[in-house]
Amino acid sequence: MHNSCEGPGATAARLTGLAVTGERQLSGALAEVTLDGGRVVMVKRGDGPRAAQAEAAGLRWLADAHAVRIPAVHGHDGQWLVTDRVATGPPGADAAEHLGSDLAALHAAGAPALGAPPPGGPEEAYIGLAPMRNVTGPDWPRWYAEYRVLPYLRRAVDDGTVRSAEAPVIERVCERLPELAGPAEPPARLHGDLWNGNVLWGADGHAWLIDPAAHGGHRETDLAMLHLFGCPHLDRILDGYQRTAPLAEGWADRIALHQLFPLLVHAVLFGRGYAEQALTAARAALAR
C-alpha cells in the first residue's frame, strides 16, 4: 500500500526503485523528476479511475509494434504513471517523413478487433479527460456510430451543447456510414488521440508519440486527427505514410467523417464552438 497523498517524487522513487535528486512541477497533474544517476522521468497523475492503467497499457502496446517511438513506462498504480521524459527540439521535415512511415507500420501491426483495448487495458478507458469505452464490434460503420459518435452526441445534447434540432444531421451521418466509410480495412493499432500536442519532436531528431487513447480502429482516424488541429510538416508525414502503406482512394474526402468523434469529444469537454465544428464536419460528410 502507498500513501494516497504521496507526491510525484515519492511516487517516482517507489515505482522505479531509485532515489530522487530533483523535482519540477509542470502542472497540477504533471511533474518532471530527476532520479539518482541522472535519468529524468515524467510523473503524471491520472484524471480518473483506471486512467493511469489505460495509458500505461496503451503506451506498451504501441511500443510492442516496434514502429513509432514511445517513451518507456517505468511503472503505474491506481493514480500515477511514470515514463521517460523526451527531450524536445524543433520539428524537422525528415523526422516528419519518418513518422509517417513509422505510423503506417504501427497501424499495420493491427489489433484483435475494432474497439479492442490494449492488453491489460480497461474497457472503460479515456480520451483526454473524457471517458471512452473500448468495446469490440464486427464492422467499422456500426462500431464507429455506436461507440464513438452517438455516445458523445447524446451527452452533448443532454448538456445543451448540441441543440436537439441539430442532432439529426449527425444521426444521418451514422445512418449512412456503410456507404460513406469507404473500403473495409483490417483493425489498425491506433494511437487514438493523435493531435499535434501528442507528437513530441525529439532533440534526437525523431518524432515521439505520447498520451495515447489506444485501441483497435480505422487507420484513417489517426490521420484525420493530425489534420484536425494541424501538425508541423503534415505533408511530409503523409508522404512517408503513403509510400509505406497507400491509403484507399477517397481517403481525403473522409477526413471530416473521422473527425466527428474527436470534435464531439471536444464539444462535451469544451463547449459550443466544437459542437459547431462537429455539425460542419457532419454536413461535409453528407455532401460527398
Side-chain angles (χ1 to χ4, degrees):
M1 294 293 291
H2 63 275
N3 188 339
S4 61
C5 296
E6 183 180 74
T11 298
R14 174 172 54 83
L15 291 177
T16 65
L18 296 173
V20 169
T21 60
E23 180 177 335
R24 184 164 70 102
Q25 198 73 33
L26 302 179
S27 71
L30 190 66
E32 190 177 89
V33 174
T34 304
L35 303 173
D36 189 30
R39 180 188 289 273
V40 181
V41 295
M42 305 302 294
V43 183
K44 180 179 180 181
R45 188 176 65 241
D47 296 310
R50 301 172 302 278
Q53 175 193 354
E55 186 169 339
L59 288 168
R60 287 171 171 148
W61 190 48
L62 300 184
D64 284 348
H66 302 291
V68 294
R69 285 170 171 79
I70 302 292
V73 175
H74 292 289
H76 69 92
D77 59 23
Q79 183 178 18
W80 297 97
L81 170 68
V82 179
T83 66
D84 270 344
R85 181 197 64 167
V86 176
T88 57
D94 289 344
E97 195 156 330
H98 281 107
L99 173 60
S101 60
D102 291 347
L103 190 60
L106 172 69
H107 291 162
L114 292 164
E123 179 179 299
E124 302 295 334
Y126 293 85
I127 178 167
L129 298 173
M132 182 185 79
R133 294 191 71 208
N134 285 325
V135 180
T136 60
D139 65 81
W140 188 78
R142 282 186 289 173
W143 172 83
Y144 186 63
E146 185 171 353
Y147 296 111
R148 290 298 181 262
V149 176
L150 292 176
Y152 301 95
L153 175 61
R154 293 185 190 112
R155 181 169 163 186
V157 170
D158 289 344
D159 293 345
T161 308
V162 172
R163 301 179 185 108
S164 297
E166 296 170 326
V169 67
I170 295 174
E171 292 168 344
R172 280 197 295 277
V173 173
C174 291
E175 292 165 2
R176 290 186 56 195
L177 271 168
E179 66 183 275
L180 298 174
E185 296 252 358
R189 188 170 306 195
L190 295 191
H191 176 280
D193 193 8
L194 195 57
W195 70 288
N196 176 46
N198 288 339
V199 179
L200 297 184
W201 302 94
D204 60 0
H206 298 289
W208 294 69
L209 303 186
I210 61 169
D211 296 352
H215 62 279
H218 196 302
R219 62 186 180 135
E220 290 177 12
T221 302
D222 268 353
L223 298 176
M225 191 73 135
L226 281 175
H227 280 82
L228 186 55
F229 300 112
C231 187
H233 305 295
L234 181 55
D235 56 337
R236 297 292 293 272
I237 294 173
L238 294 171
D239 286 347
Y241 194 104
Q242 291 274 42
R243 272 198 293 274
T244 304
L247 293 158
E249 184 177 353
W251 71 270
D253 295 329
R254 293 187 289 272
I255 289 174
L257 184 67
H258 287 269
Q259 288 178 344
L260 259 186
F261 164 50
L263 285 170
L264 285 168
V265 170
H266 277 71
V268 164
L269 293 175
F270 306 117
R272 177 65 188 175
Y274 288 106
E276 291 172 353
Q277 289 186 52
L279 291 163
T280 298
R283 295 183 187 105
L286 291 171
R288 288 179 46 222

